[in-house]
Amino acid sequence: MLSQRRWNFLLLPYLFLALGFSDGCCSNCNQCGGGFASPCSPRGISFLAWYSKHNKNIGDHEAVKYDQVIENLGKGYDPSTGKFTAPVSGIYSISATMMSAPKNHMHLGIMKNSQTLTVLFSNKNTYPQASTTLNVFLSKGDTAWVQRHSGRVLEAHMNGRFNVFSGVLITPM
């Protein structure tokens, strides 16, 4: 007779399937060997990048190019454009945190394709910070990014970790 611990371990793959997780291999590419860590799996899509430019002006309606990429699972984030392109359709959690320079205010918008989803604001005369997180549906190929709406200068103290852009796939659809 199998011990309870071993029995639970043997049932684990079936539990994942019952909860809606696939075996990790896409049905149409045949490039992977399956399993939860396959390169074409919708699991493991996430990115985290921060802005390292100290006191750099950002142009009107220009995308913020978060240049220090910490994580880019699924290869959806492009630091040369500052944009995340959804590799698969699903619900994503997208977050941005900012700090403006004390000499000016800053408005940054989180964008989906060409639509402003929300705007972060920080006022002048201090080192104000703002942050937000949105859960949003992105179709495969949709883009999300942060762009300047007003103000000019982002601060990048402590190696830029005050200005962060991140996202993660919550559930593929």
Side-chain angles (χ1 to χ4, degrees):
M1 177 157 204
L2 292 173
S3 71
Q4 184 64 40
R5 181 178 292 162
R6 189 167 184 195
W7 181 250
N8 289 342
F9 180 74
L10 291 173
L11 288 177
L12 191 58
Y14 299 103
L15 175 63
F16 281 119
L17 291 172
L19 292 173
F21 296 105
S22 70
D23 68 355
C25 191
C26 358
S27 60
N28 60 357
C29 76
N30 297 321
Q31 293 178 356
C32 61
F36 291 105
S38 73
C40 53
S41 169
R43 270 183 240 21
I45 296 173
S46 68
F47 70 96
L48 170 63
W50 47 271
Y51 183 78
S52 69
K53 309 291 191 256
H54 186 69
N55 288 335
K56 181 181 182 298
N57 286 342
I58 298 172
D60 191 28
H61 300 288
E62 179 182 334
V64 179
K65 296 174 182 117
Y66 296 87
D67 56 313
Q68 298 299 310
V69 179
I70 309 305
E71 178 177 282
N72 196 7
L73 300 174
K75 308 285 187 225
Y77 179 71
D78 181 354
S80 68
T81 64
K83 295 183 179 183
F84 170 75
T85 303
V88 299
S89 297
I91 304 291
Y92 289 82
S93 182
I94 305 290
S95 299
T97 302
M98 62 170 285
M99 180 196 299
S100 66
K103 59 188 169 242
N104 71 280
H105 69 281
M106 178 69 77
H107 287 90
L108 295 178
I110 294 184
M111 309 296 293
K112 174 186 173 183
N113 299 325
S114 60
Q115 175 188 12
T116 302
L117 298 177
T118 191
V119 176
L120 292 100
F121 171 74
S122 65
N123 207 353
K124 59 183 177 179
N125 299 324
T126 63
Y127 283 96
Q129 288 187 278
S131 64
T132 191
T133 298
L134 300 171
N135 296 327
V136 62
F137 176 78
L138 297 176
S139 293
K140 181 178 180 176
D142 279 352
T143 56
W145 71 95
V146 177
Q147 79 177 25
R148 181 180 82 84
H149 282 265
S150 68
R152 293 194 338 215
V153 178
L154 283 177
E155 286 288 323
H157 295 290
M158 293 182 63
N159 299 320
R161 290 184 175 92
F162 287 113
N163 294 291
V164 178
F165 181 40
S166 66
V168 62
L169 174 65
I170 296 172
T171 186
M173 298 182 81

